[in-house]
Amino acid sequence: MALCFSINATTLPQHHHGKVNYRSNKKCLESVRNLVKTTGVASVVSAPQESLQKGNWVKLICGASFEDVVDVRNLSLVYTLAGVDCIDCAADASIVNAVNEGIEAAREIVYLRKPWVMISVNDDEDLHFRKAEFDPEECPLDCPRPCETICPASAISLQQHQSTTELSHGTEMLNVLKGGVITERCYGCGRCFPVCPYDKIRMAMYTRDAAATAELLKRNDVDAIEIHTGGRQTASFGGLWNDLGNSTGYLKLVAVSLPYAGDATISSMNTIYTMMEPHLPCLNLWQLDGRPMSGDIGRGATRESIAFAACLAAVKDKPHGLCRFAVLSFFATF
């Protein structure tokens, strides 16, 4: 086993800035260029596939549901300079464009080979693919708004406004709250759900469209896909894989993310690989979570990941491909 890393960049600064203008300060630009050169960033000399097979692959996780194009572009610029091998983002054309814009901006500063661009999709309900939602006008004016405070992505914003209400005897001006969830910034972490004192926040789950995903995969600036699946029912995975059709032939990596579901998990992994194999032209990677990680701020995730690793290590007929255990961040080649 070899050590590897993933960087989850969905916990963002509390203040939303515009695009990083790296050309505005020539002295700063030269300092960045010299820093990258003197630190010997691995991506200058090592291709992503080589890093993956050696076990020192580094992936930036922008978030399967995070769709703020400016922040995604800036993150991609910074982490390309830092030498990541892969940038994982939402399966949305505007987000893919933002990632590639950030990569190219970094390569204008100093020559680096391009990291892979990976899009994340799901075959059914999954915690990585959800958004918070609520009607701000249902919120009491005296609410302390803990949802605003706790949101790590500054994705909730509430302001008081005056609203005209029609009554039987005429009209009346009332103060109401406006705003709510900034959808493109919400990545479904779930922190706001339990803190709402009036139980107004709902969780909206969604599934990425297979046809739109297939079109993205045919682009020459998308290199990899991560498919999130439940691990118990393989039929939904098979349906998505069939819907993607020959679009997977353009890829350099197919990753499958699934949680530990007991003894049946290994069998499910083997079944999934059997489904993929006839149309799998590239490496496959198992992204193995003890349990789904998005918004999982409770205890026990590491223990479940360890249990998953122990289960897999004890199996003689191991699923084909590379494996990465979430939290532990270990790679093993089987």
Side-chain angles (χ1 to χ4, degrees):
M1 286 189 178
L3 189 64
C4 78
F5 303 94
S6 286
I7 307 162
N8 192 330
T10 49
T11 301
L12 298 162
Q14 290 296 313
H15 300 288
H16 188 202
H17 302 291
K19 286 185 179 181
V20 174
N21 185 357
Y22 59 91
R23 296 187 182 93
S24 62
N25 189 320
K26 291 185 178 180
K27 185 176 180 180
C28 178
L29 180 62
E30 190 60 32
S31 296
V32 171
R33 186 178 290 118
N34 290 335
L35 178 63
V36 172
K37 290 179 178 179
T38 56
T39 53
V41 173
S43 61
V44 175
V45 295
S46 176
Q49 181 170 328
E50 182 182 347
S51 298
L52 184 63
Q53 292 173 319
K54 287 182 176 179
N56 55 11
W57 193 61
V58 182
K59 181 176 77 167
L60 167 67
I61 303 172
C62 290
S65 292
F66 188 70
E67 297 169 325
D68 186 305
V69 293
V70 174
D71 272 359
V72 168
R73 182 261 188 194
N74 290 343
L75 287 166
S76 300
L77 188 163
V78 171
Y79 281 94
T80 297
L81 290 173
V84 294
D85 296 288
C86 182
I87 299 176
D88 184 359
C89 67
D92 177 88
S94 62
I95 296 300
V96 172
N97 292 341
V99 171
N100 281 290
E101 184 183 338
I103 291 172
E104 291 309 314
R107 298 179 81 215
E108 287 183 25
I109 297 173
V110 61
Y111 177 75
L112 298 164
R113 65 96 174 96
K114 292 180 66 174
W116 284 347
V117 176
M118 171 186 281
I119 59 173
S120 281
V121 300
N122 55 326
D123 63 8
D124 205 345
E125 287 192 356
D126 185 280
L127 294 183
H128 299 85
F129 299 84
R130 62 180 182 175
K131 299 278 188 180
E133 61 178 28
F134 63 92
D135 183 351
E137 295 191 18
E138 294 181 358
C139 300
L141 291 175
D142 61 352
C143 179
R145 307 177 195 173
C147 58
E148 273 189 305
T149 305
I150 203 169
C151 179
S154 299
I156 297 177
S157 178
L158 295 165
Q159 306 88 30
Q160 282 197 36
H161 289 267
Q162 284 195 329
S163 176
T164 303
T165 301
E166 296 290 338
L167 301 174
S168 58
H169 58 275
T171 61
E172 183 178 349
M173 297 296 293
L174 297 175
N175 287 326
V176 296
L177 289 176
K178 296 287 187 180
V181 178
I182 305 169
T183 304
E184 64 271 19
R185 293 192 61 78
C186 176
Y187 62 90
C189 75
R191 287 168 173 82
C192 60
F193 301 137
V195 301
C196 178
Y198 300 99
D199 197 26
K200 298 291 186 182
I201 300 176
R202 301 175 295 276
M203 180 174 65
M205 310 290 285
Y206 66 95
T207 303
R208 291 288 183 187
D209 180 70
T213 299
E215 290 304 309
L216 281 176
L217 295 181
K218 294 175 183 178
R219 293 173 46 154
N220 61 8
D221 55 3
V222 174
D223 307 289
I225 187 172
E226 181 167 331
I227 301 173
H228 294 257
T229 187
R232 291 181 175 86
Q233 301 292 331
T234 57
S236 56
F237 181 92
L240 173 59
W241 187 255
N242 288 335
D243 289 343
L244 293 178
N246 62 6
S247 65
T248 56
Y250 297 81
L251 298 175
K252 299 180 178 73
L253 177 70
V254 172
V256 178
S257 174
L258 72 165
Y260 183 46
D263 295 340
T265 306
I266 307 301
S267 175
S268 295
M269 291 169 67
N270 284 321
T271 300
I272 288 171
Y273 182 75
T274 300
M275 292 175 176
M276 293 193 298
E277 187 177 17
H279 302 288
L280 186 66
C282 56
L283 293 171
N284 75 292
L285 170 68
W286 301 102
Q287 170 72 46
L288 305 175
D289 298 338
R291 62 175 182 242
M293 301 304 296
S294 181
D296 190 349
I297 56 177
R299 297 180 179 180
T302 300
R303 292 190 182 93
E304 292 187 34
S305 192
I306 291 172
F308 201 162
C311 175
L312 191 58
V315 173
K316 184 177 181 180
D317 183 21
K318 294 179 174 62
H320 182 276
L322 301 164
C323 289
R324 179 187 179 276
F325 293 93
V327 182
L328 292 176
S329 294
F330 283 119
F331 261 129
T333 305
F334 298 129

